[in-house]
Amino acid sequence: MGLKHGVTWKGRNYNTNNWEMADGINRALSAANASLYALCAAVVCSLGYVPSLGFIHDAGTLPFIFDVADLYKHLTSVPAAFLAVRQNPADDGDLVRKLLKQRVEEERLLQRMPKEQESLFASSTISTLPSPNS
């Protein structure tokens, strides 16, 4: 991804206790991911799912939010972060959030996410089970 966007990429590496030591791309990824997590939380909660019951992630209070976000990072936060750093290596987060918003709109994420989340939990076996009144 770094070569594609002309950005030096040494891997995902940052320390939440020492934010300034992270390079620009890691700060941009963190900013974009934080915004994506907020969007995913809104969708997950609006559908009535429990944010704390994750399938892949299991720590903290938002593992399901992180699970859902992982499905969309490659379409949204990752390209937005690399593009932001390519355009402005000193971006303080404004540009990456603007580019993330563009990616969310282009991918029609607010329309797709609820449908895709519900389809993940749909099961054809449930509809074939006899009803309790039978």
Side-chain angles (χ1 to χ4, degrees):
M1 194 61 130
L3 288 175
K4 176 182 173 183
H5 289 285
V7 173
T8 301
W9 172 248
K10 298 176 186 172
R12 190 73 168 117
N13 186 14
Y14 67 100
N15 180 340
T16 56
N17 295 322
N18 197 351
W19 179 249
E20 293 305 316
M21 291 301 295
D23 59 11
I25 188 59
N26 277 291
R27 286 193 303 271
L29 283 166
S30 293
N33 287 339
S35 296
L36 180 61
Y37 297 149
L39 177 65
C40 291
V43 172
V44 165
C45 291
S46 72
L47 294 173
Y49 299 131
V50 180
S52 60
L53 298 176
F55 293 90
I56 306 300
H57 298 87
D58 60 8
T61 58
L62 302 173
F64 188 55
I65 304 303
F66 301 142
D67 291 350
V68 171
D70 282 353
L71 299 172
Y72 300 102
K73 284 180 182 177
H74 72 287
L75 298 171
T76 58
S77 59
V78 172
F82 278 89
L83 186 56
V85 170
R86 183 179 82 196
Q87 290 180 11
N88 180 5
D91 178 45
D92 64 357
D94 288 342
L95 179 59
V96 73
R97 285 188 292 274
K98 177 183 174 187
L99 294 171
L100 175 70
K101 180 181 181 287
Q102 288 176 349
R103 294 297 308 146
V104 166
E105 290 170 353
E106 288 168 6
E107 292 295 332
R108 300 182 49 81
L109 226 54
L110 287 174
Q111 292 81 17
R112 288 176 49 190
M113 286 178 71
K115 294 174 191 169
E116 291 173 356
Q117 294 309 302
E118 290 190 347
S119 73
L120 287 174
F121 292 104
S123 173
S124 61
T125 57
I126 293 175
S127 62
T128 61
L129 293 174
S131 70
N133 298 331
S134 313

